[in-house]
Amino acid sequence: MRKLLYAVLLGLVGAGIVHILVLMMVPELSERDAWSRLSMASDLYRMTPLEAESGGQPVVKSVDPLFLAAACRFDLNDGIVHVQAAGKVPFWSVSVYDRNGHNIYSFNDHSAASGTLDTVVLTPAQMLEVRRQLPDDLDGSIFVETPIGEGIVVLRAFVPDESWRPAVSRFLEQSSCTLKEL
């Protein structure tokens, strides 16, 4: 009886370990992750709305109905990425993710000078180049130095009520994600 109990217990522990490992590997092995869904919806360096357009399926499902979001895929091997948005909304935040969806950096409108979005994503080597001679159009930008090659910038804006929806949508539509070569 003791051997049977030991075998059952060992089998349950082994099954638990395998289950946890499979769950941890799903994001790495999934073909329908955020990167692949965005790549089907748009090209690199293009802000793409994440909510459904004209009743279709959303690119990535939002977990918060009070926020609208747009995302831009980038590859820092091509150059630095300059993200900008003009206009006033109640609140906005920016997150930079690596290709696997790990959050690298986040900030919001309270971190930005005058509340406007102007940020640059670059590698440490690119940061050294920029420090040698800062281009005039990057003066006042928030620099996000990251060791990743490919990634996603996600811009979220708060919609406190339906009267704000047009302004927030316009803010996201007018946002830009541009490649700048050094």
Side-chain angles (χ1 to χ4, degrees), residues 118-141:
D118 185 1
T119 189
V120 177
V121 182
L122 65 174
T123 65
Q126 291 166 333
M127 186 66 184
L128 290 173
E129 285 293 318
V130 168
R131 282 186 181 160
R132 287 188 188 137
Q133 185 174 5
L134 181 67
D136 292 336
D137 61 335
L138 300 182
D139 189 33
S141 297

Side-chain angles (χ1 to χ4, degrees), residues 47-63:
M47 280 298 212
T48 305
L50 298 183
E51 67 274 355
E53 293 180 5
S54 26
Q57 288 288 342
V59 175
V60 177
K61 290 182 182 177
S62 174
V63 294

Side-chain angles (χ1 to χ4, degrees), residues 22-104:
V22 167
L23 287 176
M24 292 176 72
M25 292 174 57
V26 165
E28 302 292 326
L29 301 176
S30 174
E31 294 181 13
R32 299 293 294 165
D33 62 354
W35 179 271
S36 60
R37 292 180 120 201
L38 274 170
S39 67
M40 288 187 286
S42 69
D43 295 328
L44 290 170
Y45 316 109
R46 182 170 174 260
M47 280 298 212
T48 305
L50 298 183
E51 67 274 355
E53 293 180 5
S54 26
Q57 288 288 342
V59 175
V60 177
K61 290 182 182 177
S62 174
V63 294
D64 192 338
L66 296 178
F67 279 83
L68 294 179
C72 168
R73 293 180 314 120
F74 62 84
D75 186 348
L76 294 179
N77 295 316
D78 297 338
I80 64 175
V81 178
H82 193 190
V83 179
Q84 295 176 295
K88 293 289 184 191
V89 292
F91 174 82
W92 58 259
S93 69
V94 172
S95 297
V96 178
Y97 296 91
D98 67 9
R99 184 179 174 143
N100 296 322
H102 300 114
N103 191 329
I104 304 298

Side-chain angles (χ1 to χ4, degrees), residues 145-181:
E145 188 177 328
T146 176
I148 64 174
E150 297 174 319
I152 302 169
V153 174
V154 178
L155 171 58
R156 293 177 194 86
F158 180 55
V159 183
D161 61 52
E162 286 302 311
S163 67
W164 277 96
R165 189 167 292 276
V168 171
S169 293
R170 204 168 31 258
F171 174 78
L172 293 174
E173 288 167 5
Q174 294 174 355
S175 62
S176 65
C177 173
T178 55
L179 171 66
K180 295 181 75 70
E181 295 182 24

